[in-house]
Amino acid sequence: MPGTVRHGESVEVAIIGGGIVGIVLAVGLLRQNVKVRVFEQAQGFREIGAGIAFTANAIRCMEQIDPAIVTALRLSGSVATSNGDEKEPNDYLRWIDGYNQHREDDPYYQRMLYKIDAGYRGFEGCRRDQFLEALVKVVPPEVIECRKRVQRIEERSLEEKITLTFVDGTRAQTDAVIGCDGIKSRVREIILGEGNPASYPHYTHKVAYRTLIPMEDAIKALGDYKAKNQHNHVGPNAHLIHYPVANKNMINATAFVSDPNEWPEEKQMVAPGSREDIESAFAGWSPCVRNVVSLFPEKLDKWAVFDLWDYPAPFYNRGKICLAGDAAHASSPHHGAGACVGIEDALCLSTLLRQVNTSVQENGISKGKALRAAFETFNAVRRTRSQWLVNSSRRACDFYHQPEWADPAKWVKAETCFEELKDRSYKIWHFDYNGMIKETIKGYAEREADLV
Amino acid sequence: MPGTVRHGESVEVAIIGGGIVGIVLAVGLLRQNVKVRVFEQAQGFREIGAGIAFTANAIRCMEQIDPAIVTALRLSGSVATSNGDEKEPNDYLRWIDGYNQHREDDPYYQRMLYKIDAGYRGFEGCRRDQFLEALVKVVPPEVIECRKRVQRIEERSLEEKITLTFVDGTRAQTDAVIGCDGIKSRVREIILGEGNPASYPHYTHKVAYRTLIPMEDAIKALGDYKAKNQHNHVGPNAHLIHYPVANKNMINATAFVSDPNEWPEEKQMVAPGSREDIESAFAGWSPCVRNVVSLFPEKLDKWAVFDLWDYPAPFYNRGKICLAGDAAHASSPHHGAGACVGIEDALCLSTLLRQVNTSVQENGISKGKALRAAFETFNAVRRTRSQWLVNSSRRACDFYHQPEWADPAKWVKAETCFEELKDRSYKIWHFDYNGMIKETIKGYAEREADLV
């Protein structure tokens, strides 16, 4: 009978969305002998966004999921940010006074406020499109179907197959669905409900402007040391962050500006902008910052930063449908760790689906019950940390944009933020993923025991 | 020649303020063979404030400073909050929904939001006045001078004695001064400057009302379990916290209410209040909370909560004059850890003054240079953590008072605060004081090396 579930065989999972988290998860599930299909709405794999960085911890998570992922990352031309400089072998995050304390005798002077040691090869950066291209090659081509935009998901009962209906009118059946379909997730909208504010991302009241600057020009603007090393220039209502890319031939510079207004169009997060916008936001800042701003193109895109902070999802699964990565917890980019937390999700789910296969193939538990127990475990294990990240990234940006940076009587208070930024960074970088794996296995085993 | 410093003998330290941190520090310094005098402005030792609790970690710090301090604490009638209940042997902090989700069928129902395990005997509570009385007996009577309110502190040069002038016109000379003179510290005003906003505490825009309620009445108001265990009822713009005291014959209840207005009188932090004030703040809350509020006396004191958050001290020492405890970092009470961090200060200073005696008596370093190096080390080791606590306590109260608690669409967001509250509590409770001691010895040794 079509649509009924036969026991004893591997479960089959549909992953909605072929972004980095979706493909990493597919690799992980395949390694656990889970049947996987990935449905991607686009015609092919063209990721937006120039660069992406992974923490050393996230790379260790990839290694746990499947060492082939790390190989793909390295083959895609990823580079350790650590430069092997004898004096500073490690990666650091650096915050520098972008606004105050100009010195007429030394216009390049900016006070270093704080730096945090991320360890040797603490970060590894790559181009998103190149990494995704290398990742896709790790999975058999028949696993991925493009031009499949999901429209409806029907889960009639626990022991029946789920039916996916795509915008093109075609259908597919599967045991379980994992939505890795990013910040504008359709799967989220389906399980939380149309019209529910938690189903949609909201404006963080920050806009971002990005550009690449040749190193030669960056050195003229900032001085040699600052141009060649990551720096985050903080000040009232804005910050400018830059780091070297492309084998140190360029710097990637991003200016974030606070915006008290509403974003006019919820569907479209990019609007035309101009250098003048940034110039006025950084007027009166250090000459170094203004030099960098003058190197942005006259006309450029203005990116609205959206996230899921205002209305966090009350749950990450409904029955055998689950959310992971940005679909579950899209964050603003201020910790640079959104994708890393998605990789942790993929590790958790790979662990769980291995357990599900054992339950189904060896312990005689039904697919439906096993899958629901797995996704409930995922929700219990992952929701707190991943929503914490969304909060924390907002908090970090609030610190960078403190109005107090403009008031000398408030500098001491403003600088007290760094202890907290250090703690928050460590919580991200030093995540105990082995502890998470243990908690996952234990949580699933407890739920499984109730099923037997 | 009077006023000159002889080398080779112990340094002498004047502690300004005979509160808990001042006396604990005196005990610690005496144990390190440091000469100590304590100058207390009051006629005797009468601490305000009914109760005080110490974390297990702070008690371990006391043990390091001098086991006699722990003996004094226990002799003063301190009780472990842990009650040895088989089901719940450990101490917990509990947050409970004070505002929402009334149930007509069960008026005592309140949803438990979160609890954090503080371990067995995680907190130990006592009456402040009784602990102080027991502590004072640990130091020889000639060490403490009452009715000595400091007016001026003159530090003419590094190698000359410091002269203290008291309000009664008398004077004293000493090698070093440590201000343990609390939130309204005169020593702070002297080293940061009169008129400097960092010299004074500022209003946190919260007021507190306290009372003791017989257990029998508390059980009628709250139900048995809630009356007998610590609970923190959170809701929009206010919270109510209570825990059993006096051998479980009473509960100590404190209501905190947000106040958007300025406090009228900076010098006087207490004003007459009435039960009506609290009734209006908690109108519409859970019947349990309103029941407790109805047991507050009709006329009672209203305490303004002040702290040093708005203008944190840019440094804790100037030469041989130093601040510790509330004088350095007076915090609002929302982590219940203000005194604990002051005990950590005392451990750091006891460690340092032992090193100073060694420098002076064995390494031929001048008292002035050694003391300045010690206090600079104290500033470097302690300022970040203790000012973090001041920030964090404010943040905790902001979470308790989130307006979001009143908006069902925002409950999920409001509840994301608990992960952060857990991290903040752990940072306080699990402080690595052995690491601090090592850092202190290393920091001092590096400064000493520059002096030789």
Side-chain angles (χ1 to χ4, degrees):
Chain A
M1 208 175 100
T4 57
V5 174
R6 281 160 294 175
H7 293 277
E9 60 183 25
S10 164
V11 295
E12 187 183 29
V13 174
I15 294 171
I16 310 301
I20 285 169
V21 171
I23 304 294
V24 164
L25 177 60
V27 173
L29 297 187
L30 288 166
R31 193 173 181 225
Q32 303 300 337
N33 298 311
V34 175
K35 289 188 202 158
V36 179
R37 276 186 296 171
V38 177
F39 298 102
E40 164 58 37
Q41 64 174 5
Q43 297 200 8
F45 294 91
R46 295 226 58 79
E47 269 274 348
I48 305 168
I52 189 167
F54 294 98
T55 61
N57 197 288
I59 294 171
R60 287 190 290 267
C61 287
M62 293 177 190
E63 190 89 30
Q64 295 281 320
I65 298 169
D66 191 329
I69 298 163
V70 182
T71 308
L73 178 69
R74 302 264 156 84
L75 284 176
S76 75
S78 78
V79 286
T81 320
S82 295
N83 48 24
D85 179 337
E86 256 184 51
K87 278 189 226 149
E88 277 193 334
N90 290 3
D91 284 324
Y92 294 89
L93 296 186
R94 290 177 195 78
W95 288 272
I96 190 165
D97 176 12
Y99 185 76
N100 295 299
Q101 304 182 10
H102 302 194
R103 267 203 206 161
E104 288 198 11
D105 62 322
D106 179 5
Y108 286 88
Y109 173 77
Q110 296 178 265
R111 193 158 69 86
M112 268 301 293
L113 296 170
Y114 202 69
K115 64 181 197 177
I116 310 183
D117 187 346
Y120 187 61
R121 297 180 77 103
F123 295 101
E124 206 156 319
C126 64
R127 276 179 53 185
R128 274 171 194 256
D129 53 352
Q130 290 179 345
F131 179 34
L132 191 62
E133 201 179 302
L135 262 182
V136 165
K137 289 182 188 150
V138 178
V139 297
E142 65 274 16
V143 164
I144 302 174
E145 291 182 53
C146 288
R147 298 192 219 187
K148 288 291 174 193
R149 181 181 183 132
V150 78
Q151 168 89 328
R152 277 166 46 210
I153 307 178
E154 280 166 291
E155 189 184 17
R156 262 184 290 181
S157 77
L158 200 59
E159 299 307 339
E160 280 177 279
K161 291 244 183 209
I162 294 171
T163 304
L164 299 169
T165 308
F166 300 98
V167 172
D168 64 7
T170 59
R171 292 178 175 206
Q173 292 202 313
T174 181
D175 294 322
V177 175
I178 303 177
C180 298
D181 48 345
I183 185 165
K184 295 180 182 176
S185 170
R186 171 66 179 152
V187 181
R188 188 198 311 126
E189 191 182 30
I190 289 168
I191 72 170
L192 300 184
E194 292 192 14
N196 179 348
S199 294
Y200 309 102
H202 297 272
Y203 185 39
T204 67
H205 294 274
K206 311 285 168 190
V207 289
Y209 303 81
R210 293 180 184 167
T211 195
L212 293 166
I213 298 170
M215 185 57 80
E216 205 181 330
D217 297 340
I219 291 172
K220 278 185 209 145
L222 287 160
D224 192 72
Y225 181 82
K226 280 180 268 182
K228 289 185 179 159
N229 290 281
Q230 182 274 355
H231 280 87
N232 187 344
H233 304 255
V234 299
N237 304 311
H239 74 286
L240 172 74
I241 188 166
H242 57 78
Y243 44 88
V245 291
N247 208 15
K248 300 214 171 193
N249 287 312
M250 315 244 258
I251 69 166
N252 185 346
T254 309
F256 289 90
V257 178
S258 284
D259 168 23
N261 306 308
E262 293 307 316
W263 186 254
E265 173 54 82
E266 291 277 316
K267 303 264 176 207
Q268 180 55 266
M269 299 177 187
V270 191
S274 73
R275 191 171 64 217
E276 276 176 33
D277 307 344
I278 341 177
E279 279 168 347
S280 70
F282 291 97
W285 286 50
S286 155
C288 293
V289 173
R290 285 183 285 131
N291 288 345
V292 173
V293 165
S294 74
L295 296 167
F296 275 62
E298 233 174 275
K299 296 285 163 204
L300 75 175
D301 283 339
K302 173 162 89 170
W303 295 78
V305 181
F306 277 66
D307 72 6
L308 298 179
W309 181 74
D310 282 314
Y311 297 93
F315 44 81
Y316 281 178
N317 82 301
R318 195 191 71 196
K320 298 176 294 174
I321 308 172
C322 191
L323 303 170
D326 281 2
H329 44 72
S331 167
S332 54
H334 309 296
H335 279 305
C340 299
V341 174
I343 299 295
E344 294 169 12
D345 287 350
L347 175 55
C348 182
L349 284 166
S350 302
T351 305
L352 282 163
L353 271 293
R354 181 187 61 205
Q355 306 303 100
V356 165
N357 261 351
T358 307
S359 295
V360 171
Q361 294 170 346
E362 297 174 20
N363 303 346
I365 292 170
S366 80
K367 282 183 182 176
K369 285 181 180 166
L371 284 162
R372 186 176 59 186
F375 291 161
E376 282 171 3
T377 307
F378 178 78
N379 178 64
V381 170
R382 295 296 306 161
R383 198 159 64 87
T384 301
R385 174 173 168 83
S386 52
Q387 292 183 336
W388 170 88
L389 182 85
V390 181
N391 284 351
S392 190
S393 177
R394 283 267 196 138
R395 173 94 165 155
C397 193
D398 287 344
F399 283 143
Y400 307 162
H401 291 206
Q402 286 177 96
E404 281 89 344
W405 295 121
D407 176 357
K410 289 287 192 177
W411 287 346
V412 178
K413 172 167 178 276
E415 288 182 39
T416 61
C417 73
F418 291 114
E419 176 71 1
E420 194 174 319
L421 284 167
K422 183 195 70 183
D423 290 342
R424 292 177 179 278
S425 299
Y426 283 2
K427 179 164 173 141
I428 297 165
W429 302 346
H430 303 160
F431 177 55
D432 176 13
Y433 55 85
N434 283 315
M436 176 189 76
I437 292 172
K438 279 183 203 153
E439 186 192 346
T440 300
I441 292 172
K442 184 164 172 275
Y444 180 77
E446 286 167 4
R447 286 174 180 81
E448 192 195 31
D450 290 341
L451 299 177
V452 177
Chain B
M1 211 174 94
T4 56
V5 176
R6 280 161 296 174
H7 292 278
E9 62 184 24
S10 163
V11 293
E12 186 184 30
V13 174
I15 294 171
I16 310 301
I20 286 169
V21 171
I23 305 294
V24 164
L25 177 60
V27 173
L29 297 187
L30 287 166
R31 193 172 181 229
Q32 304 299 339
N33 299 312
V34 175
K35 289 187 202 159
V36 180
R37 277 186 296 171
V38 177
F39 298 102
E40 164 57 38
Q41 64 175 4
Q43 294 201 8
F45 293 90
R46 295 225 58 76
E47 269 274 349
I48 305 169
I52 189 167
F54 294 98
T55 61
N57 197 287
I59 294 170
R60 288 191 288 269
C61 288
M62 291 177 191
E63 190 89 30
Q64 295 281 320
I65 298 170
D66 192 329
I69 298 164
V70 182
T71 307
L73 178 68
R74 303 263 155 85
L75 285 176
S76 75
S78 78
V79 287
T81 319
S82 296
N83 49 24
D85 179 338
E86 256 183 51
K87 278 190 228 149
E88 275 194 336
N90 291 2
D91 285 323
Y92 293 89
L93 297 186
R94 290 177 195 78
W95 289 271
I96 191 166
D97 176 12
Y99 184 78
N100 295 300
Q101 304 182 8
H102 301 195
R103 267 203 206 162
E104 287 197 12
D105 62 321
D106 180 4
Y108 287 88
Y109 173 77
Q110 296 179 265
R111 193 157 71 86
M112 268 301 292
L113 297 170
Y114 202 71
K115 65 180 197 177
I116 311 182
D117 188 346
Y120 187 62
R121 295 180 80 104
F123 295 101
E124 208 156 317
C126 64
R127 277 180 52 186
R128 273 170 195 258
D129 53 353
Q130 290 177 345
F131 179 36
L132 192 61
E133 202 178 302
L135 261 182
V136 164
K137 288 180 187 149
V138 178
V139 296
E142 67 273 17
V143 164
I144 304 174
E145 292 181 52
C146 287
R147 297 193 218 185
K148 289 290 175 193
R149 181 183 184 133
V150 78
Q151 168 87 332
R152 276 166 47 209
I153 306 177
E154 281 167 289
E155 189 185 18
R156 262 184 291 181
S157 78
L158 199 60
E159 299 307 340
E160 278 177 279
K161 291 247 183 204
I162 292 171
T163 303
L164 298 169
T165 308
F166 300 98
V167 172
D168 64 8
T170 59
R171 292 179 174 205
Q173 292 202 314
T174 182
D175 293 323
V177 175
I178 303 176
C180 297
D181 48 346
I183 187 167
K184 296 179 181 176
S185 171
R186 171 68 179 150
V187 180
R188 187 199 312 127
E189 190 181 31
I190 289 168
I191 73 171
L192 300 183
E194 292 190 13
N196 179 347
S199 295
Y200 310 101
H202 297 271
Y203 185 39
T204 68
H205 294 274
K206 310 284 169 193
V207 289
Y209 302 80
R210 292 180 185 168
T211 194
L212 292 167
I213 298 171
M215 184 56 81
E216 206 181 330
D217 298 339
I219 291 172
K220 278 185 209 146
L222 287 160
D224 192 71
Y225 180 82
K226 280 181 267 182
K228 289 184 180 160
N229 290 281
Q230 181 273 358
H231 280 87
N232 187 343
H233 305 254
V234 300
N237 304 311
H239 73 285
L240 172 74
I241 187 166
H242 57 77
Y243 45 87
V245 291
N247 209 15
K248 301 212 169 194
N249 288 310
M250 316 244 257
I251 69 165
N252 185 345
T254 309
F256 290 90
V257 178
S258 283
D259 168 22
N261 306 308
E262 293 306 316
W263 187 254
E265 172 54 85
E266 291 277 315
K267 302 265 176 207
Q268 181 53 268
M269 299 176 186
V270 190
S274 74
R275 190 171 64 217
E276 278 176 32
D277 307 345
I278 341 178
E279 279 168 348
S280 71
F282 291 97
W285 285 51
S286 158
C288 294
V289 173
R290 284 182 287 131
N291 288 344
V292 173
V293 166
S294 74
L295 296 167
F296 276 63
E298 233 174 273
K299 296 285 164 204
L300 75 175
D301 282 338
K302 173 162 90 171
W303 295 78
V305 180
F306 277 67
D307 72 5
L308 299 179
W309 181 73
D310 282 315
Y311 297 92
F315 44 81
Y316 282 178
N317 83 300
R318 195 190 71 195
K320 299 175 295 173
I321 308 172
C322 190
L323 303 170
D326 281 2
H329 45 73
S331 167
S332 53
H334 309 296
H335 278 306
C340 298
V341 174
I343 300 294
E344 294 168 11
D345 286 351
L347 175 56
C348 182
L349 284 166
S350 302
T351 305
L352 282 164
L353 270 293
R354 182 186 62 204
Q355 305 303 99
V356 165
N357 260 351
T358 306
S359 295
V360 171
Q361 293 170 347
E362 297 173 20
N363 304 347
I365 292 171
S366 80
K367 283 184 182 177
K369 285 180 179 166
L371 285 163
R372 185 175 60 186
F375 291 162
E376 282 171 1
T377 307
F378 178 78
N379 178 65
V381 170
R382 295 297 307 163
R383 199 158 66 86
T384 301
R385 173 171 168 85
S386 52
Q387 292 183 336
W388 171 88
L389 181 85
V390 181
N391 285 350
S392 190
S393 177
R394 284 266 196 139
R395 174 95 166 155
C397 193
D398 287 345
F399 283 143
Y400 306 161
H401 291 205
Q402 286 177 96
E404 282 88 345
W405 296 122
D407 176 358
K410 289 287 192 178
W411 287 346
V412 178
K413 173 166 178 275
E415 288 181 38
T416 61
C417 73
F418 291 114
E419 176 72 1
E420 193 173 320
L421 283 167
K422 183 195 72 183
D423 290 341
R424 292 177 179 278
S425 299
Y426 284 1
K427 180 164 171 141
I428 297 164
W429 302 346
H430 303 159
F431 178 55
D432 176 14
Y433 55 86
N434 282 316
M436 176 189 76
I437 292 172
K438 279 184 202 152
E439 186 192 346
T440 300
I441 291 172
K442 184 164 172 274
Y444 180 77
E446 285 167 4
R447 286 175 179 82
E448 192 196 31
D450 289 341
L451 298 176
V452 176

